[in-house]
Amino acid sequence: MSRRAVMIRLTALIMLLAFISAPNLFAPVFEPLTTNNAPAIYNQGNLLFLTMAHLGTVFSAALASTLVAVLLGVLVTRPSGVEFLPLSRSLVSIGQTFPPVAVLAIAVPLVGFGEKPTLIALFLYGLLPIFENTLTGLTQVSPLTLDAAKGMGMGPTRRLYEVELPLALPVILAGIRLSVVINLGTATIGSTVAAKGLGEVIIAGLQSNNTAFILQGGLVVALLAVLIHDGLMMFERLLVRRLGLGPAAA
């Protein structure tokens, strides 16, 4: 990343932190977007709290999706688990087959309103990219490399942890990054079932016809997506470089 790009990202981060910490300072910017003396800054909740709640939901779901998807990916790439590949692929595709709104509609009667149905929807929605990238990363490990590890006396478990997973790591991390970024935007629908998050700001704007609220919620989510995407990519490159595996997958 060039120095100019780094400066742009740093400026965006500073502006984002300033806005969610002291949004009233930006009221003059949003006032032209309001009508009938409507508030220029979202005033029905704390933006910093909503942002942290939004991120907490997304990363909690991402952690659960990662654990399940990677374990499934490992299972179906073992000789004893190959037969479960079609079933596993069908299961992880559920989140992409059914819209998150439909998952929420099914989950609410089962677990009630709040954060739980949103976590279920994001968990299901985030499985596919991580699973497919895990599958791709593990199956692309060279058979010659595995034979060499076997010749060194490594058993199946040791080969998995010391050879296969480290070599597949760049692709797996790219899948996790994609899953997190997708769910940052998808998580806004959680506010329709009373989950705390930035969707509250957008929905409040839609209900009151306040363009300023809609823009504020959308901008914060968009900036978070860009910054977290870049941050995770930098983490991938650093980790891969330290492991001596070459450039991370884009």
Side-chain angles (χ1 to χ4, degrees):
M1 186 180 296
S2 66
R3 179 176 296 181
R4 181 180 180 183
V6 171
M7 290 303 298
I8 291 174
R9 300 307 195 273
L10 183 59
T11 301
L13 175 60
I14 292 172
M15 294 295 291
L16 174 63
L17 292 175
F19 178 69
I20 62 176
S21 301
N24 288 325
L25 295 177
F26 297 80
V29 177
F30 293 98
E31 281 176 357
L33 301 175
T34 62
T35 57
N36 301 321
N37 295 319
I41 298 296
Y42 181 69
N43 58 357
Q44 299 172 29
N46 184 288
L47 274 178
L48 179 58
F49 170 76
L50 292 177
T51 300
M52 297 305 296
H54 192 96
L55 291 175
T57 301
V58 170
F59 283 110
S60 296
L63 178 60
S65 296
T66 299
L67 289 174
V68 172
V70 171
L71 286 174
L72 275 177
V74 169
L75 172 65
V76 299
T77 53
R78 304 304 96 184
S80 59
V82 172
E83 61 187 274
F84 296 105
L85 176 57
L87 175 61
S88 298
R89 185 164 271 151
S90 297
L91 290 175
V92 300
S93 297
I94 290 176
Q96 302 287 336
T97 303
F98 295 98
V101 174
V103 177
L104 287 178
I106 297 172
V108 166
L110 298 176
V111 299
F113 288 89
E115 186 181 16
K116 289 181 181 179
T118 306
L119 283 171
I120 293 172
L122 296 183
F123 164 73
L124 293 175
Y125 207 60
L127 284 172
L128 186 60
I130 303 174
F131 174 78
E132 290 295 343
N133 276 43
T134 301
L135 201 61
T136 300
L138 290 173
T139 55
Q140 285 183 349
V141 176
S142 171
L144 294 177
T145 302
L146 295 178
D147 287 342
K150 187 176 181 180
M152 295 171 61
M154 292 187 182
T157 302
R158 189 178 172 192
R159 287 200 303 271
L160 172 65
Y161 285 104
E162 297 187 18
V163 179
E164 294 180 73
L165 284 176
L167 290 175
L169 186 61
V171 183
I172 296 174
L173 290 176
I176 296 171
R177 169 165 44 88
L178 177 60
S179 178
V180 169
V181 171
I182 290 174
N183 277 346
L184 275 167
T186 307
T188 55
I189 66 169
S191 297
T192 61
V193 292
K196 292 296 181 182
L198 293 166
E200 280 190 23
V201 186
I202 298 173
I203 292 175
L206 293 172
Q207 291 176 338
S208 61
N209 196 28
N210 189 328
T211 306
F213 286 3
I214 299 172
L215 184 60
Q216 287 161 36
L219 281 175
V220 173
V221 172
L223 283 174
L224 284 174
V226 171
L227 292 170
I228 289 175
H229 175 275
D230 289 349
L232 290 175
M233 184 173 287
M234 290 175 62
F235 172 75
E236 290 171 34
R237 290 173 177 168
L238 177 62
L239 183 59
V240 169
R241 191 180 301 119
R242 287 194 174 185
L243 293 174
L245 299 175

